[in-house]
Structures are given as C-alpha cells and as structure tokens.
Amino acid sequence: MKTEIWGRSITLEATVTDWQGNPVPNVTVTVVHDDGTPYKDGDGNPARDVTDKNGRYKIKTTVKGSYWLEVVLPRQNQKE
C-alpha cells in the first residue's frame, strides 16, 4: 500500500487477516520510505508494530512524502 502525506502525524490501525478472514498474529508491519528504509519515531526507533493475537496493529508516526507499509509474516515451522 502506498500513500502520500506531507509532514503529518498519523496513526495507522488495522487488522491483518488471511484469505479466509482469520486474524494473523505476530505479523510485523513497518512504515517505510520509497527506498525501503523505515520511518523513525521521535525516539529514533523504526515506526512499526507487531500484530496481537487478534491480528491488530497500531502505529503512530510522522511522515513526509510517500510511504509504504512493509508486512512481514511470522516465521512458522522453519529451522534455523
């Protein structure tokens, strides 16, 4: 998903679901610049959250220009 906002504080809240509509927990959602680097919050941490057991996440950050949401599914049943 790509959106453009100019220097505004935003709050992104949504639920991640699978194709059957079931919530997906432990998904990492990060707000990233067009070049793929994460936006940072006021403390310098990446603007991201991990979905809860109900698939919900909430991210507060300030963006300027375009941004994307990077969604990374949890690693399941994988050996290191």
Side-chain angles (χ1 to χ4, degrees):
M1 173 179 141
K2 182 178 180 177
T3 304
E4 284 194 33
I5 295 180
W6 295 97
R8 301 223 177 171
S9 179
I10 62 170
T11 300
L12 302 170
E13 295 181 76
T15 301
V16 177
T17 59
D18 64 16
W19 64 277
Q20 294 176 321
N22 300 310
V24 182
N26 301 315
V27 172
T28 301
V29 181
T30 306
V31 181
V32 298
H33 295 271
D34 281 337
D35 66 3
T37 59
Y39 270 92
K40 306 278 178 147
D41 65 17
D43 296 324
N45 298 310
R48 71 170 50 128
D49 196 17
V50 177
T51 59
D52 64 15
K53 67 180 181 178
N54 298 310
R56 293 186 298 229
Y57 69 89
K58 182 177 184 176
I59 302 170
K60 292 182 181 184
T61 194
T62 300
V63 297
K64 184 175 182 181
S66 309
Y67 70 88
W68 293 82
L69 290 182
E70 177 184 77
V71 178
V72 179
L73 298 174
R75 295 177 64 167
Q76 296 180 11
N77 303 320
Q78 294 182 8
K79 294 182 180 179
E80 294 288 323

